[in-house]
Protein backbone atom coordinates (compact mmCIF):
# COMPACT_ATOMS: atom_id res chain seq x y z
CA UNK A 1 0.00 0.00 0.00
CA UNK A 2 2.85 2.38 0.79
CA UNK A 3 4.03 2.17 -2.82
CA UNK A 4 0.67 3.49 -4.00
CA UNK A 5 0.74 6.44 -1.61
CA UNK A 6 -1.67 5.04 0.98
CA UNK A 7 -0.78 5.88 4.56
CA UNK A 8 -2.21 3.85 7.45
CA UNK A 9 -1.95 4.75 11.11
CA UNK A 10 -3.23 3.00 14.22
CA UNK A 11 -4.94 5.02 16.93
CA UNK A 12 -5.08 3.47 20.39
CA UNK A 13 -7.72 3.63 21.64
CA UNK A 14 -9.40 3.73 18.26
CA UNK A 15 -11.75 6.55 17.39
CA UNK A 16 -15.26 5.62 18.53
CA UNK A 17 -17.13 5.99 15.24
CA UNK A 18 -16.59 5.95 11.53
CA UNK A 19 -16.45 9.30 9.75
CA UNK A 20 -16.28 9.93 6.03
CA UNK A 21 -15.25 13.40 4.92
CA UNK A 22 -15.76 14.39 1.30
CA UNK A 23 -13.75 17.36 0.01
CA UNK A 24 -14.01 19.03 3.43
CA UNK A 25 -17.56 19.95 2.49
CA UNK A 26 -19.64 16.96 3.58
CA UNK A 27 -19.38 14.61 6.58
CA UNK A 28 -21.07 11.27 6.95
CA UNK A 29 -21.09 10.19 10.58
CA UNK A 30 -21.87 6.57 11.33
CA UNK A 31 -23.82 5.60 14.42
CA UNK A 32 -23.00 2.77 16.78
CA UNK A 33 -22.12 -0.37 14.78
CA UNK A 34 -23.62 -2.63 17.45
CA UNK A 35 -27.17 -1.42 16.99
CA UNK A 36 -29.53 -3.33 14.75
CA UNK A 37 -30.64 -0.27 12.80
CA UNK A 38 -27.39 1.59 12.38
CA UNK A 39 -27.87 5.25 11.56
CA UNK A 40 -25.84 7.65 9.44
CA UNK A 41 -25.91 11.44 9.68
CA UNK A 42 -24.95 13.75 6.82
CA UNK A 43 -23.51 17.09 7.92
CA UNK A 44 -22.79 20.07 5.68
CA UNK A 45 -22.26 22.78 8.30
CA UNK A 46 -18.76 24.23 7.69
CA UNK A 47 -18.05 24.88 11.39
CA UNK A 48 -18.87 21.25 12.30
CA UNK A 49 -16.75 19.95 9.42
CA UNK A 50 -13.80 22.14 10.51
CA UNK A 51 -14.13 20.86 14.09
CA UNK A 52 -14.27 17.21 13.02
CA UNK A 53 -11.32 17.78 10.66
CA UNK A 54 -9.30 19.29 13.52
CA UNK A 55 -10.13 16.28 15.74
CA UNK A 56 -9.18 13.93 12.92
CA UNK A 57 -5.80 15.60 12.33
CA UNK A 58 -5.02 15.65 16.06
CA UNK A 59 -5.79 11.91 16.24
CA UNK A 60 -3.81 11.29 13.02
CA UNK A 61 -0.72 13.06 14.36
CA UNK A 62 -0.93 11.14 17.65
CA UNK A 63 -1.46 7.78 15.91
CA UNK A 64 1.31 5.29 15.17
CA UNK A 65 2.35 4.49 11.63
CA UNK A 66 1.32 0.96 10.67
CA UNK A 67 4.91 -0.22 10.12
CA UNK A 68 5.96 1.00 13.57
CA UNK A 69 2.86 -0.49 15.19
CA UNK A 70 3.43 -3.87 13.51
CA UNK A 71 7.13 -3.86 14.42
CA UNK A 72 6.41 -3.19 18.10
CA UNK A 73 3.61 -5.73 18.46
CA UNK A 74 4.59 -9.38 18.75
CA UNK A 75 2.66 -11.43 16.23
CA UNK A 76 0.48 -14.30 17.37
CA UNK A 77 2.29 -17.50 16.46
CA UNK A 78 1.63 -21.17 17.07
CA UNK A 79 3.73 -23.44 19.25
CA UNK A 80 4.99 -25.15 16.08
CA UNK A 81 6.19 -21.76 14.82
CA UNK A 82 8.00 -21.21 18.12
CA UNK A 83 9.68 -24.58 17.73
CA UNK A 84 10.80 -23.66 14.22
CA UNK A 85 12.19 -20.34 15.48
CA UNK A 86 14.06 -22.15 18.26
CA UNK A 87 15.73 -24.36 15.68
CA UNK A 88 16.62 -21.35 13.54
CA UNK A 89 18.13 -19.68 16.59
CA UNK A 90 20.06 -22.87 17.36
CA UNK A 91 21.51 -22.89 13.84
CA UNK A 92 20.23 -26.36 12.91
CA UNK A 93 20.21 -27.44 9.29
CA UNK A 94 16.79 -27.60 7.65
CA UNK A 95 16.92 -31.36 7.30
CA UNK A 96 17.68 -31.87 11.00
CA UNK A 97 15.07 -29.39 12.19
CA UNK A 98 12.38 -30.80 9.90
CA UNK A 99 13.15 -34.33 11.09
CA UNK A 100 12.99 -33.26 14.77
CA UNK A 101 9.61 -31.64 14.18
CA UNK A 102 8.36 -34.54 12.07
CA UNK A 103 7.68 -32.19 9.14
CA UNK A 104 8.37 -32.71 5.45
CA UNK A 105 11.41 -30.65 4.44
CA UNK A 106 9.43 -28.52 1.96
CA UNK A 107 6.82 -27.75 4.61
CA UNK A 108 9.53 -26.76 7.09
CA UNK A 109 11.16 -24.44 4.54
CA UNK A 110 7.80 -22.92 3.61
CA UNK A 111 7.06 -22.27 7.29
CA UNK A 112 10.50 -20.67 7.73
CA UNK A 113 9.79 -18.35 4.78
CA UNK A 114 6.37 -17.45 6.24
CA UNK A 115 7.91 -16.69 9.64
CA UNK A 116 10.65 -14.57 8.08
CA UNK A 117 8.00 -12.57 6.25
CA UNK A 118 5.84 -12.24 9.37
CA UNK A 119 8.79 -10.96 11.39
CA UNK A 120 10.04 -8.68 8.62
CA UNK A 121 13.36 -10.51 8.58
CA UNK A 122 15.71 -10.63 5.60
CA UNK A 123 17.58 -13.69 6.85
CA UNK A 124 17.06 -16.70 9.06
CA UNK A 125 19.44 -15.26 11.63
CA UNK A 126 17.52 -11.98 11.63
CA UNK A 127 14.27 -13.90 12.15
CA UNK A 128 15.74 -15.57 15.24
CA UNK A 129 17.00 -12.26 16.60
CA UNK A 130 13.68 -10.54 15.92
CA UNK A 131 11.77 -13.39 17.60
CA UNK A 132 13.98 -13.04 20.68
CA UNK A 133 13.51 -9.25 20.72
CA UNK A 134 9.74 -9.69 20.65
CA UNK A 135 9.86 -12.24 23.46
CA UNK A 136 8.52 -15.04 21.27
CA UNK A 137 11.16 -17.51 22.49
CA UNK A 138 12.29 -18.68 25.89
CA UNK A 139 15.50 -17.08 27.17
CA UNK A 140 17.39 -20.38 26.87
CA UNK A 141 17.59 -21.96 23.40
CA UNK A 142 16.29 -25.49 23.43
CA UNK A 143 15.39 -28.12 20.89
CA UNK A 144 13.17 -30.96 22.08
CA UNK A 145 14.21 -30.27 25.68
CA UNK A 146 17.93 -30.54 24.86
CA UNK A 147 20.07 -27.40 24.99
CA UNK A 148 21.25 -26.47 21.51
CA UNK A 149 24.80 -25.52 20.67
CA UNK A 150 25.91 -23.46 17.72
CA UNK A 151 28.52 -25.96 16.56
CA UNK A 152 26.26 -28.97 16.80
CA UNK A 153 27.07 -31.58 14.13
CA UNK A 154 24.08 -32.54 11.96
Amino acid sequence: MAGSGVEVRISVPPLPHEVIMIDRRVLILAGEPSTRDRTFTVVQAPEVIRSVAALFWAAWEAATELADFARDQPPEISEQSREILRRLRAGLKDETAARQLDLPLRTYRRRVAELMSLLGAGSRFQAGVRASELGLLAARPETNGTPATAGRPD
Side-chain angles (χ1 to χ4, degrees), residues 88-127:
L88 287 177
R89 184 176 63 179
L92 297 180
K93 291 182 180 179
D94 287 355
E95 293 80 4
T96 303
R99 186 173 56 252
Q100 286 181 357
L101 295 171
D102 197 29
L103 289 173
L105 182 58
R106 287 181 61 183
T107 300
Y108 176 81
R109 288 181 174 157
R110 181 178 45 80
R111 295 286 298 128
V112 167
E114 290 168 355
L115 286 167
M116 287 174 55
S117 176
L118 179 68
L119 295 171
S123 69
R124 291 161 173 256
F125 176 77
Q126 196 177 37

Side-chain angles (χ1 to χ4, degrees), residues 2-18:
S4 65
V6 174
E7 226 181 307
V8 176
R9 292 192 180 191
I10 305 297
S11 175
V12 181
L15 297 175
H17 301 289
E18 298 166 50

